[in-house]
Amino acid sequence: MNATKQRILNVALDLFSQKGFSAVSVRDICKVVDIKESSVYYHFKNKQSIFDELLQHFETKANDLMFQLEQALAAAPKTMEEDLFEKVCDCFFEKYLMDEYCNKIMRLLSFEHFSNNEILKIYDYWIFDRPLNFQEKVFSLLMSIGIIKQTDSKYLAIKFYSPIFLYMQRWLLGGTLTDECKQIFRENAYKHISNFFNEMEDQ
């Protein structure tokens, strides 16, 4: 990819994730990139086309990650260890929620989903629908091989994911994504995972 085009995309993503798509102008992007406004239009039709390319790259990354997770789940042996869910979550946390690019896109979606119905659909799909659907599949598999008791897998997915979403909002999307925030998120998320499965064993 042309270096200037990549620089425009990088700067646009930074600004969009900090201020929101609506609050950032092409002129704002040009100022940081240090190019004339006309140079942007050599690479992109308008600001929306910059957003569209950023989102396309995000969806490619996210779809690839979910495909990898679902392939691993489908290939899991019947004698899988009980820490499958921790391994899955580790991948989901590190390669998705805390991935620098994906995290910035999620921040952008968080800004815009209140005022843009199309972005709301994208936000709901990647923040709620895909994670919950995948977790439901994991719980169904764990029940089918006798690791956890038979119950409503959809309910378990919601019960499991709700604190994760809370921690994500507080430490991964609520301010600057620092190593300290990542570590606090990990500590709380994995404590929740441990408590969640301990409580299931006690039932």
Side-chain angles (χ1 to χ4, degrees):
M1 181 184 294
N2 178 278
T4 300
K5 181 178 181 180
Q6 187 61 62
R7 174 71 174 148
I8 291 168
L9 288 168
N10 292 344
V11 168
L13 180 57
D14 284 343
L15 293 176
F16 292 161
S17 67
Q18 294 164 12
K19 302 178 181 180
F21 175 77
S22 302
V24 176
S25 67
V26 170
R27 182 173 297 178
D28 294 329
I29 296 169
C30 292
K31 185 176 180 180
V32 178
V33 179
D34 195 22
I35 57 174
K36 294 180 179 180
E37 195 166 334
S38 58
S39 298
V40 171
Y41 298 115
Y42 174 77
H43 300 286
F44 299 97
K45 181 179 179 180
N46 49 35
K47 187 177 73 165
Q48 182 64 46
S49 68
I50 298 175
F51 170 82
D52 291 342
E53 187 155 335
L54 291 169
L55 184 62
Q56 183 180 43
H57 181 57
F58 164 76
E59 291 185 330
T60 298
K61 284 174 66 75
N63 274 319
D64 182 61
L65 173 63
M66 294 306 299
F67 177 77
Q68 290 178 42
L69 290 174
E70 289 178 351
Q71 287 292 102
L73 187 63
K78 296 296 183 181
T79 56
M80 74 170 72
E81 299 175 0
E82 292 186 31
D83 64 352
L84 167 70
F85 215 96
E86 284 198 37
K87 291 177 180 177
V88 168
C89 287
D90 178 67
C91 183
F92 181 71
F93 297 160
E94 301 296 332
K95 294 183 179 179
Y96 182 60
L97 298 182
M98 290 186 281
D99 173 80
E100 183 177 359
Y101 188 91
C102 292
N103 184 270
K104 287 179 180 179
I105 290 291
M106 284 185 275
R107 288 168 180 265
L108 164 58
L109 297 177
S110 294
F111 267 112
E112 297 297 321
H113 82 279
F114 293 107
S115 57
N116 185 312
N117 285 333
E118 288 304 310
I119 292 181
L120 174 60
K121 293 176 184 177
I122 298 167
Y123 174 86
D124 282 348
Y125 182 75
W126 287 110
I127 300 296
F128 297 112
D129 294 344
R130 282 298 289 271
L132 285 169
N133 287 340
F134 178 74
Q135 289 161 17
E136 184 180 346
K137 290 179 182 178
V138 175
F139 282 121
S140 294
L141 180 59
L142 294 178
M143 284 186 280
S144 72
I145 60 178
I147 290 180
I148 61 175
K149 297 177 181 179
Q150 291 290 329
T151 186
D152 185 344
S153 58
K154 186 182 293 288
Y155 170 73
L156 284 183
I158 293 171
K159 184 178 180 180
F160 178 86
Y161 187 59
S162 295
I164 301 297
F165 176 74
L166 171 66
Y167 301 147
M168 175 179 69
Q169 288 291 326
R170 183 173 185 182
W171 286 298
L172 302 185
L173 301 180
T176 304
L177 184 63
T178 63
D179 288 339
E180 181 182 7
C181 287
K182 290 179 181 180
Q183 187 56 34
I184 294 172
F185 170 82
R186 290 186 190 101
E187 290 171 359
N188 282 273
Y190 285 112
K191 182 178 179 181
H192 162 61
I193 293 172
S194 177
N195 289 340
F196 180 87
F197 282 101
N198 285 340
E199 288 173 3
M200 290 193 67
E201 290 176 359
D202 294 337
Q203 292 176 357

